[in-house]
């Protein structure tokens, strides 16, 4: 049987951010989940969480709700941090990782954190714009904002705070899973150098990680260059 894929979204987003990947790979095989307090999923977590907490809940969703065996975890940004943490904590139950626009350490600019805490609606719009190439903001940016279920106040801040505390830079060699790393060349939130670092340090399996840095894309590379991303995933799965 083909290995299932579980897609995990980033801060303040929902599973819908992956809809072009799910459409491409098919709903029988690819599942985009909502983290607690995002999209359709009720919030079951406290006001402050860690990436470990989110990884534990994703693990529960995969085992108890979806009943999947040895899935590949694909994650974007915070979702990529969650995927990496799952690779460290539950690696033997997984068969691979796809890390999109993310890194082994995700410090967040204090001004972004402050705005997320004090003016979450404004922060949502501003981070959406920062995630895209400027020419994609009026079209794709608006579309992404419209299709997302707005999170409660506090959730974006909780997510960004979890990112800010995340750091597994010294543990990457412990991840013993085939890994695909993808980044937009113009990503301003998780710099392409973070992805290069992942490729260099993910040495836990024989052939290491495969890296693609795609042009004309920012942090939302899977929406800005969906064909390139889908093809890279397909080739890597083969
Ligand atoms: N992979 C590889 N290198 C990384 C890294 C990662 N995941 N995270 C940080 N580094 C590097 C930085 O490039 C920097 O290297 P340098 O000293 O050669 O320039 C060094 O580690 C320290 O960086 P950082 O941990 O980010 O601390 P800082 O005090 O230099 O900067 C911020 C902190 C918040 C100002 C900075 O991270 C930033 O501008 N972030 C903005 C983007 C943002 O908010 N993204 C949200 C992510 S969800």
């Amino acid at each position: 049987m083909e290995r299932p894929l579980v897609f995990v979204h980033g801060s303040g987003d929902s599973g819908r951010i992956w809809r072009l990947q799910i459409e491409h790979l098919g709903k029988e095989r690819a599942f985009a989940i909502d983290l607690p307090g995002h999209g359709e999923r009720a919030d079951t977590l406290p006001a402050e969480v860690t990436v470990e907490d989110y990884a534990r809940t994703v693990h529960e969703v995969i085992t108890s709700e979806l009943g999947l065996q040895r899935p590949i975890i694909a994650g974007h940004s915070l979702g990529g941090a969650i995927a990496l943490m799952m690779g460290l904590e539950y690696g033997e139950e997984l068969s691979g990782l796809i890390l999109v626009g993310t890194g082994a350490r995700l410090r967040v600019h204090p001004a972004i954190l402050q705005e997320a805490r004090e003016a979450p609606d404004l922060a949502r719009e501003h981070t959406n714009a920062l995630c895209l190439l400027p020419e994609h903001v009026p079209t794709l940016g608006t579309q992404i904002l419209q299709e997302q279920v707005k999170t409660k106040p506090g959730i974006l801040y909780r997510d960004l705070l979890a990112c800010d505390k995340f750091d597994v830079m010294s543990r990457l060699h412990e991840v013993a899973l085939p890994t695909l790393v993808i980044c937009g060349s113009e990503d301003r939130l998780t710099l392409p150098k973070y992805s290069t670092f992942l490729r260099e340090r993910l040495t836990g399996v024989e052939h290491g990680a495969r890296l693609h840095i795609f042009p004309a894309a920012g942090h939302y590379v899977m929406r800005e260059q969906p064909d390139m991303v889908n093809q890279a995933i397909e080739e890597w799965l083969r």
Side-chain angles (χ1 to χ4, degrees), residues 11 77-78 101-113 127 130 159-160 163-164 166-167 169 172 187-198 219:
S11 300
S77 200
L78 167 65
T102 192
R105 172 175 163 92
L106 295 176
R107 290 287 306 282
V108 180
H109 198 282
I112 299 180
L113 274 175
T127 45
L130 276 176
D159 290 351
L160 292 173
C163 286
D164 196 52
F166 175 72
D167 185 353
M169 283 176 88
L172 291 178
D187 192 329
R188 288 173 285 174
L189 286 179
T190 53
L191 305 179
K193 79 185 252 192
Y194 296 4
S195 287
T196 308
F197 186 89
L198 288 172
H219 193 51

Side-chain angles (χ1 to χ4, degrees), residues 4-24:
L5 292 103
V6 174
F7 288 82
V8 186
H9 61 81
S11 300
D13 274 335
S14 76
R16 287 194 61 76
I17 199 71
W18 292 108
R19 68 179 176 78
L20 301 179
Q21 283 65 48
I22 305 300
E23 277 169 25
H24 183 80

